[in-house]
C-alpha cells in the first residue's frame, strides 16, 4: 500500500491479512485505513474472495452488535475456507439466533462472576504448581511449554470436571492443537479424539449426576431442550475457545511485560494494578489477529458505507483496539491506562463467554510471576523470538526466559 496516499484518494488494503512489520504491533497500514478508509474492500489471501475490512472501534461495535451480520459459516458469502467442516451441534460461536441464544443461555450461568470466583482456589494452586516447577527446573526455560500451554489446559479440565488421571491425555492432545508446526490433518485427528473423549465424559457425568458444569448441563437437558450431542458440542467449543486464545495471550502478554521491565516492576510493587494490566495487555496484544468474520444478511449502512446482503465482513479487532479516538497514543503500552470498552474479547451478541475466567487466569499468572520471579527476563533478543505468522491467532511458538 502507498504509505502516503494523495489527499482524497481511496486507501485500499489490496490483500488481507496485512503482514506485521513489527512483531508486537499490528501493521502500520491500519492507522491509514482508520483515518482515510475505515470501511474498505480487500481480497482475502486464503480464498480470494472480497470482503469489507472494518478497522475503527465505533464501526466494529456497530457490526458486532447488529444481528443482521451473521456468524453462520455455511451462509453464502461468509468469508470462510471452503474446506472448513460445517459446525457440529452445540458450536454456538458459529450460529445465529435462535439456536445461538438457546445454547449460550444453557451455559451462561456457569460463567457468572460468582461461579468463576469459585474456581479461584483451584486456579491459584495450578498457577503456583506450574510456576514452582518452572523455577525449580533448568534455566533458561521455554515459558510456552512451562506455563502458556499447561495452564489453560488444566483450567479447562477443572471447568469440565475431567478426572485427574485423564489430564495427561488432555495435555498431550491440546499441545498438538497449540503447535502450529503440526499438520492440519494431525490437528484434526486430535480434535476428533478429544470430542470422542468428551462424548464419553458427558455420558458418564449424566449417569452419575455429578454437580459440575457437564453434570449440571446434562441434568438440565430436559428443561433447556439440549440434546446429548449438543452438550458434547458445547464442551468441545469451550475447550477449543478457552485454550488457544489464552495460551497465546500468556505468551505475547508476558513477552510485552518482559520487554517493559518498568511496568513489570510496577506490577510487583502494586499487585492491585493487575486488573488494569490484564485489560491493557489484552488490548495492546489482541490475539485474535485475523479478526472476527461475519456476512450481511440484508443491506446495512455502517459508518456511511452500505454493506450489501451476502457480502462478507472482517472486523479487525487489533486495529479497533489501536483506534486513537478511543485510546490516545494507542501504541503506547501502559498498565495504568483506562482501556474500558476494548474489543479483545469481542462485543455484542457473541462477546466472549469465558472472559472472566480468562481474566482470572491471566491475572493470577502475572501477579505470581511478578512476585515469585521478579528477575524474569528474556533469554534471547526480541528479534530471535519465533512469532507465529499464520495470522489467525497472534502469538509466539516459544518464549525462552531466565530469572
Ligand atoms: C485471552 C483469552 C480469550 C480471548 C482473547 C477470547 C476472545 C474471544 C472473542 C473475540 C470472541 C468473540 C467471537 C465472535 O464474536 O465471533 C470469543 C467468544 C467465545 N469465547 Fe473467548 N476468548 C478467550 C478465552 C476464552 C475462555 C477461557 C473461554 C471458555 C473456557 C472462552 C469461550 C468463548 C466462547 C464459548 C465464545 C462464543 C460466545 C458466543 O458465540 O456467544 N473464551 N472469545
Amino acid at each position: 500500500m502507498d504509505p502516503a496516499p494523495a489527499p482524497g484518494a481511496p486507501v485500499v488494503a489490496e490483500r488481507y491479512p496485512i503482514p506485521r512489520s513489527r512483531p508486537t504491533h499490528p501493521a502500520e497500514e491500519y492507522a491509514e485505513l482508520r483515518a482515510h478508509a475505515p470501511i474498505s474492500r480487500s481480497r482475502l489471501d486464503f480464498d480470494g474472495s472480497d470482503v469489507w475490512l472494518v478497522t475503527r472501534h465505533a464501526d466494529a461495535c456497530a457490526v458486532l452488535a447488529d444481528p443482521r451480520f451473521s456468524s453462520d459459516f455455511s451462509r453464502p458469502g461468509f468469508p470462510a475456507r471452503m474446506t472448513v467442516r460445517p459446525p457440529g451441534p452445540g458450536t454456538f460461536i458459529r450460529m445465529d439466533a435462535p439456536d445461538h441464544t438457546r445454547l449460550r443461555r444453557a451455559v451462561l450461568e456457569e460463567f457468572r462472576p460468582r461461579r468463576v470466583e469459585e474456581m479461584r482456589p483451584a486456579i491459584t494452586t495450578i498457577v503456583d504448581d506450574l510456576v514452582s516447577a518452572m523455577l525449580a527446573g533448568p534455566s533458561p526455560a521455554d515459558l510456552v511449554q512451562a506455563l502458556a500451554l499447561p495452564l489453560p489446559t488444566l483450567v479447562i479440565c477443572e471447568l469440565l470436571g475431567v478426572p485427574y488421571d485423564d489430564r495427561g491425555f488432555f495435555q498431550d492432545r491440546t499441545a498438538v492443537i497449540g503447535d502450529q508446526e503440526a499438520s492440519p490433518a494431525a490437528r484434526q485427528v486430535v480434535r476428533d479424539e478429544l470430542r470422542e473423549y468428551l462424548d464419553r465424559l458427558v455420558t458418564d457425568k449424566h449417569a452419575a449426576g455429578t454437580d459440575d458444569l457437564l453434570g449440571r448441563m446434562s441434568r438440565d437437558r430436559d428443561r433447556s431442550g439440549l440434546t446429548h450431542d449438543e452438550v458434547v458440542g458445547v464442551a468441545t467449543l469451550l475447550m477449543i475457545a478457552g485454550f488457544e486464545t489464552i495460551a497465546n495471550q500468556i505468551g505475547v502478554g508476558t513477552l510485552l511485560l518482559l520487554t517493559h521491565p518498568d511496568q513489570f516492576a510496577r506490577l510487583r510493587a502494586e499487585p492491585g494494578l493487575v486488573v488494569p494490566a490484564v485489560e491493557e495487555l489484552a488490548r495492546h496484544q489482541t490475539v485474535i489477529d485475523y479478526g472476527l468474520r461475519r456476512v450481511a444478511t440484508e443491506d446495512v449502512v455502517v459508518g456511511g458505507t452500505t454493506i450489501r446482503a451476502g457480502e462478507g465482513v472482517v472486523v479487525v479487532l487489533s486495529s479497533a483496539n489501536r483506534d486513537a479516538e478511543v485510546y490516545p497514543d494507542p501504541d503506547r503500552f501502559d498498565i495504568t491506562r483506562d482501556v474500558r470498552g476494548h474489543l479483545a474479547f469481542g462485543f455484542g451478541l457473541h462477546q466472549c463467554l469465558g472472559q472472566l475466567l480468562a481474566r482470572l487466569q491471566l491475572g493470577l499468572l502475572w501477579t505470581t510471576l511478578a512476585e515469585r520471579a521478579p528477575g524474569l527476563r528474556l533469554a534471547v533478543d526480541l528479534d530471535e523470538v519465533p512469532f507465529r505468522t499464520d495470522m489467525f491467532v497472534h502469538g509466539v511458538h516459544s518464549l525462552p526466559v531466565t530469572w
Side-chain angles (χ1 to χ4, degrees), residues 236-397:
T236 311
L237 169 63
L238 293 178
M239 193 197 68
I240 302 284
F243 169 67
E244 207 171 351
T245 42
I246 202 149
N248 284 289
Q249 193 74 67
I250 291 171
V252 287
T254 309
L255 170 72
L256 212 69
L257 282 171
L258 300 186
T259 51
H260 294 78
D262 55 321
Q263 310 258 334
F264 190 51
R266 267 200 88 172
L267 191 55
R268 177 175 161 79
E270 294 173 67
L273 280 179
V274 75
V275 176
V278 166
E279 302 309 314
E280 171 66 345
L281 282 157
R283 176 195 76 90
H284 199 275
Q285 295 299 305
T286 305
V287 293
I288 308 279
D289 209 19
Y290 199 85
L292 299 179
R293 287 167 280 167
R294 300 288 190 264
V295 61
T297 58
E298 49 187 275
D299 294 359
V300 188
V301 179
V302 180
T305 300
T306 302
I307 299 180
R308 303 258 171 232
E311 289 180 339
V313 177
V314 174
V315 178
V316 189
L317 298 182
S318 53
S319 168
N321 276 344
R322 299 286 184 107
D323 188 335
E325 286 191 13
V326 188
Y327 309 110
D329 193 5
D331 292 345
R332 190 171 50 88
F333 169 59
D334 175 359
I335 61 169
T336 64
R337 70 151 87 204
D338 178 359
V339 293
R340 245 171 298 180
H342 73 75
L343 301 180
F345 294 108
F347 183 78
L349 306 168
H350 287 270
Q351 196 178 51
C352 180
L353 194 58
Q355 56 187 287
L356 294 181
L357 188 58
R359 289 182 168 108
L360 181 59
Q361 294 180 63
L362 296 170
L364 284 171
L365 177 67
W366 287 324
T367 32
T368 306
L369 284 177
E371 190 192 313
R372 294 189 50 199
L376 193 70
R377 58 196 183 281
L378 281 183
V380 296
D381 288 338
L382 179 61
D383 57 16
E384 290 172 53
V385 174
F387 282 87
R388 291 167 59 131
T389 50
D390 60 279
M391 303 301 296
F392 274 86
V393 182
H394 170 54
V396 290
H397 291 295

Side-chain angles (χ1 to χ4, degrees), residues 147-162:
L147 304 176
L149 295 175
L151 173 57
T153 307
L154 294 172
V155 170
I156 287 160
C157 288
E158 198 63 38
L159 178 76
L160 298 179
V162 171

Side-chain angles (χ1 to χ4, degrees), residues 16 44-51 70-87 94 290-295 310-314 392:
Y16 188 82
L44 293 187
D45 269 347
F46 71 71
D47 70 353
S49 66
D50 290 332
V51 291
S70 167
S71 287
D72 182 349
F73 268 43
S74 61
R75 267 185 186 267
F78 195 98
R81 279 195 182 101
M82 300 318 283
T83 51
V84 168
R85 288 195 201 171
R94 307 266 174 262
Y290 199 85
L292 299 179
R293 287 167 280 167
R294 300 288 190 264
V295 61
E311 289 180 339
V313 177
V314 174
F392 274 86

Side-chain angles (χ1 to χ4, degrees), residues 185-204:
R187 286 149 64 89
Q188 192 56 56
V189 166
V190 158
R191 276 175 199 236
D192 290 345
E193 284 173 351
L194 282 166
R195 199 187 157 91
E196 275 166 33
Y197 173 85
L198 290 172
D199 195 317
R200 280 198 307 278
L201 190 66
V202 170
T203 305
D204 293 349

